[in-house]
Amino acid sequence: MHAGMCDVIRLELPTPFPVGPVNAWWLDGPEPVLIDTGVHTPSSLEALEAQLAARGRRLGDLRRILLTHDHYDHAGAAAELHRKSGAEICLHARSRLGARWSPEELAELGRFAARCGLPAEVLARAQASFRRAARVVAPSPPDGALARLAGGERLPSPLGPLEVLATPGHAPDHLCFLAREAGLLFCGDTLLADITPNPILHLDPEDGFRRRPSLLEYLASLEALAGCGARLAHPGHGPDLPDVAGLVVRNLEFIRERQATFLAAVRGGAETPHALARAVFGELDVTGQFLALSETVAYLDLLERDASLEVEWWRDPIHLLPAR
Ligand SMILES: [Zn+2]
Ligand SMILES: [Zn+2]
C-alpha cells in the first residue's frame, strides 16, 4: 500500500464532560495505530469497539497508541486499550498518565488561586467538581508499555512516518503528529474549529511548584503549526480543519483582540487577576470562574511580555498595574 493512501478512521467517543464527544483516529493497515483513546468509561470503550467492528477492524490488532496529551478525554482509556491489545503507548515525557497530583502540589495551586483573589469557597467547590470528574481517570499503564517522547521523533505508521511535534500550550505535554507525505496533521486540542483552546492553569509537571507560561508556549506552537505544510488537520473534537494556516491566523487574531480586552479592563481599574477575570467574563459558575481565572493568568504573561502592564506576582493578593 502506498504511504498516504491508508484509511484514517474517525472514532467519535462519548465523554461525561461539557466538551462533548472526543475524536480518536484509527490509522488502518497491517500494523494499525490509534491516536487518542477516549475516556475510561464502559460507554466509551463500547462505542470504540462497536465502531471498529462496524468497519471489520479489531482492537486486538492495534500496535501503537499515540497520545496527544494526558487530559482524561484523550488519554483515559490508554491502559485499558493496552491491556486488550498489547499496543505500545507513545506519549510525552511530561505526561502524567493516570497519576494524581500530590496533596502538596494541589495545595500550592490552591494558594496561587487564592493569591489571584479567587474566593476560598469558589476554589473549594471547583476542586470538588474536578475530583468528581477525576473518577473517570484511568489506572496507570505498566511502565514497560510506555514510550516517552520529547518531540522530533519519527514514528512508524500506516500513513508513513509520523513526525512528533511538541506543541505545549493547551497542555504542557501536548504533542501533534504530522504525516508529512500525506499532508495530514493530528492536532489534538491545539487547533479546534470554533474556539481558541483555553490554556488551563496548570502546575508544571516537572515541578509542581512552578507555573508554565501556557499562552506564550501556545503562541510558539501555533507558529510551528502554521509552517508545517499540512493540508488537512484532524482535531481532538469536532470536524476536520481544511485550512491549517488560515486557522492559525484566526487564532492569533482572536488572541490579540482578547489581549486588548484584558488590557482595557486593567486600565479600567481591575487590580487582581480574579477581579480582571470578572471584568472580562462576568458572572460564572464555580468551574467557569476557575477556567476564566486560568485564561486571565495566561494573558497576564502576554501583557507583561509586551510591557503593557506590571504584575506584582509576589504580593498577596497579586496586584496589577497598567504601564504608563
Ligand atoms: Zn485537552
Ligand atoms: Zn480535548
Side-chain angles (χ1 to χ4, degrees):
M1 196 193 311
H2 182 262
M5 299 299 284
C6 104
D7 273 343
V8 176
I9 299 175
R10 176 179 185 247
L11 305 171
E12 197 182 46
L13 306 175
T15 80
F17 303 120
V19 68
V22 64
N23 295 326
W25 303 94
W26 176 274
L27 312 188
D28 201 38
E31 302 198 341
V33 166
L34 182 67
I35 299 177
D36 286 345
T37 69
V39 290
H40 184 244
T41 60
S43 58
S44 178
L45 291 166
E46 271 164 34
L48 185 143
E49 295 204 271
Q51 289 174 46
L52 285 178
R55 308 289 292 256
R57 307 296 188 274
R58 290 180 45 244
L59 188 53
D61 294 333
L62 186 60
R63 285 302 175 88
R64 197 166 275 115
I65 297 164
L66 274 47
L67 299 177
T68 58
H69 60 304
D70 65 10
H71 289 171
Y72 313 141
D73 47 341
H74 297 261
E80 181 73 7
L81 299 187
H82 163 76
R83 199 178 61 75
K84 291 189 162 192
S85 66
E88 177 184 48
I89 300 169
C90 302
L91 75 179
H92 196 290
R94 280 185 201 132
S95 298
R96 291 211 184 184
L97 203 55
R100 314 291 166 94
W101 297 94
S102 72
E104 294 78 18
E105 288 167 325
L106 288 174
E108 177 65 16
L109 183 63
R111 278 192 294 275
F112 180 76
R115 288 202 303 114
C116 287
L118 193 71
E121 78 272 10
V122 172
L123 181 68
R125 287 169 60 197
Q127 284 184 327
S129 92
F130 290 130
R131 273 195 298 277
R132 279 195 299 280
R135 283 201 207 121
V136 297
V137 175
S140 301
D143 268 350
L146 304 180
R148 298 269 181 190
L149 306 170
E153 296 86 354
R154 289 158 69 89
L155 305 173
S157 92
L159 279 173
L162 286 180
E163 295 176 27
V164 180
L165 310 177
T167 53
H170 169 74
D173 65 329
H174 203 292
L175 297 171
C176 291
F177 303 102
L178 174 66
R180 192 173 287 277
E181 255 182 86
L184 294 179
L185 178 71
F186 297 89
C187 61
D189 283 351
T190 294
L191 292 173
L192 297 169
D194 302 320
I195 52 170
T196 295
N198 186 0
I200 293 171
L201 184 57
H202 231 293
L203 301 162
D204 187 337
E206 285 154 358
D207 177 356
F209 296 94
R210 281 190 321 193
R211 183 177 63 78
R212 300 182 71 88
S214 53
L215 186 57
L216 300 182
E217 292 184 330
Y218 182 64
L219 289 171
S221 296
L222 281 182
E223 225 163 89
L225 294 185
C228 80
R231 65 176 172 78
L232 184 70
H234 294 306
H237 306 271
D240 283 348
L241 310 170
D243 175 14
V244 174
L247 185 56
V248 167
V249 169
R250 288 200 297 285
N251 274 298
L252 292 173
E253 282 168 1
F254 174 88
I255 289 168
R256 261 196 300 276
E257 279 169 30
R258 185 148 279 187
Q259 182 182 1
T261 304
F262 275 112
L263 182 56
V266 173
R267 288 185 174 142
E271 289 191 337
T272 68
H274 179 59
L276 178 56
R278 286 181 63 105
V280 169
F281 297 102
E283 294 292 330
L284 294 167
D285 65 12
V286 289
T287 310
Q289 287 187 53
F290 183 78
L291 295 177
L293 180 64
S294 294
E295 188 160 348
T296 301
V297 169
Y299 275 87
L300 290 179
D301 293 331
L302 186 56
L303 289 163
E304 210 179 15
R305 184 201 68 180
D306 291 353
S308 306
L309 54 69
E310 253 180 78
V311 183
E312 296 177 327
W313 293 106
W314 63 91
R315 280 178 66 173
D316 189 3
I318 293 166
H319 191 78
L320 313 177
L321 289 169
R324 272 177 256 184

